């Protein structure tokens, strides 16, 4: 008899949950600031061929409104995909310093917003009117830097400095995600 009651309670619970989803009772988010954890943690290999190296990153995305939180939650598979691509493209030099990790955080946030805006049918570059002019300047700087790297006086100190780009080189993209946090970041070399 007890088993029958437990089964009936379970069925009622499942039916209630399905009714809530069907009636638009999607994820519950608060108005205002929300922190959305990316679960499970991302585990990716990085650094190219050779010895297997891994990054395990536990991340949370901050949003400023309930509407933004719903959008971010809806697109978590897209966000996870972008983050896996970004993390797996890292080099050991880039993630071995605090500056490198901060650059990675800011870059990933900009790329998340760029992907979210694009999937919603917006032009990410439109959100920053001066972006195209700055982009041209950055391209000119990269070309000049590339030419400098070919110079014979290029030394090991310069190589390490160029392994971690400057935070100034990131163009923030205003979108639904207002910040990205590394709750835990583990590198296995």
């Amino acid at each position: 008899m007890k088993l029958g009651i437990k089964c009936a309670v379970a069925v009622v619970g499942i039916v209630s949950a399905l009714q809530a989803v069907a009636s638009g009772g999607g994820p519950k988010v608060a108005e205002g600031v929300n922190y959305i954890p990316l679960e499970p943690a991302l585990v990716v290999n990085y650094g190219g061929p050779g010895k297997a190296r891994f990054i395990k990153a536990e991340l949370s995305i901050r949003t400023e409104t309930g509407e933004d939180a719903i959008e971010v939650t809806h697109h978590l598979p897209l966000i996870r995909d972008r983050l896996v691509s970004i993390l797996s493209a890292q080099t050991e030099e880039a993630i071995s310093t605090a500056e490198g990790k901060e650059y990675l955080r800011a870059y990933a946030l900009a790329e998340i917003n760029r992907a979210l805006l694009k999937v919603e049918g917006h032009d990410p570059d439109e959100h920053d009117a001066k972006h195209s002019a700055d982009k041209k300047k950055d391209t000119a700087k990269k070309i000049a830097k590339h030419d400098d790297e070919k110079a014979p006086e290029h030394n090991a100190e310069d190589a390490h400095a160029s392994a971690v780009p400057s935070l100034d080189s990131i163009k923030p993209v205003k979108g639904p995600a207002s910040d990205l946090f590394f709750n835990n970041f583990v590198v296995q070399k």
Side-chain angles (χ1 to χ4, degrees):
M1 184 67 160
K2 287 183 181 181
L3 183 59
I5 293 172
K6 287 181 182 178
C7 288
V9 169
V11 168
V12 169
I14 292 171
V15 169
S16 297
L18 290 173
Q19 287 173 338
V21 169
S23 66
K28 301 291 184 210
V29 296
E31 276 309 309
V33 174
N34 283 275
Y35 293 89
I36 303 160
L38 270 67
E39 294 175 337
L42 296 172
V43 179
V44 300
N45 59 344
Y46 75 97
K51 181 181 173 191
R53 294 174 287 241
F54 298 93
I55 296 172
K56 178 181 179 186
E58 295 176 12
L59 304 149
S60 292
I61 298 173
R62 177 184 163 137
T63 62
E64 299 299 321
T65 67
E67 184 178 311
D68 287 345
I70 291 170
E71 184 175 349
V72 166
T73 303
H74 177 73
H75 291 294
L76 281 176
L78 172 66
I79 293 169
R80 290 181 67 83
D81 177 69
R82 288 300 306 134
L83 289 169
V84 166
S85 295
I86 291 166
L87 290 172
S88 63
Q90 298 307 302
T91 63
E92 194 167 326
E93 295 81 23
I95 58 172
S96 64
T97 65
E99 294 85 13
K101 289 176 186 162
E102 179 58 21
Y103 173 84
L104 176 60
R105 186 197 65 75
Y107 175 72
L109 176 63
E111 288 299 306
I112 287 169
N113 279 325
R114 188 177 307 285
L116 290 173
L117 290 169
K118 193 172 184 179
V119 79
E120 291 294 323
H122 303 291
D123 180 8
D125 295 332
E126 192 173 277
H127 288 268
D128 184 4
K130 66 177 190 161
H131 179 76
S132 60
D134 289 343
K135 195 172 184 179
K136 288 178 184 175
K137 288 179 191 174
D138 286 346
T139 303
K141 286 180 187 176
K142 286 178 185 175
I143 291 170
K145 183 178 178 182
H146 181 68
D147 291 343
D148 289 344
E149 287 176 353
K150 290 181 181 177
E153 59 270 8
H154 182 70
N155 61 33
E157 225 174 88
D158 293 337
H160 180 69
S162 67
V164 181
S166 164
L167 280 173
D168 296 336
S169 66
I170 299 173
K171 299 298 175 223
V173 177
K174 184 160 177 49
S178 63
D179 211 344
L180 176 69
F181 300 99
F182 289 128
N183 301 335
N184 193 7
F185 192 84
V186 178
V187 177
Q188 183 271 323
K189 299 178 182 181

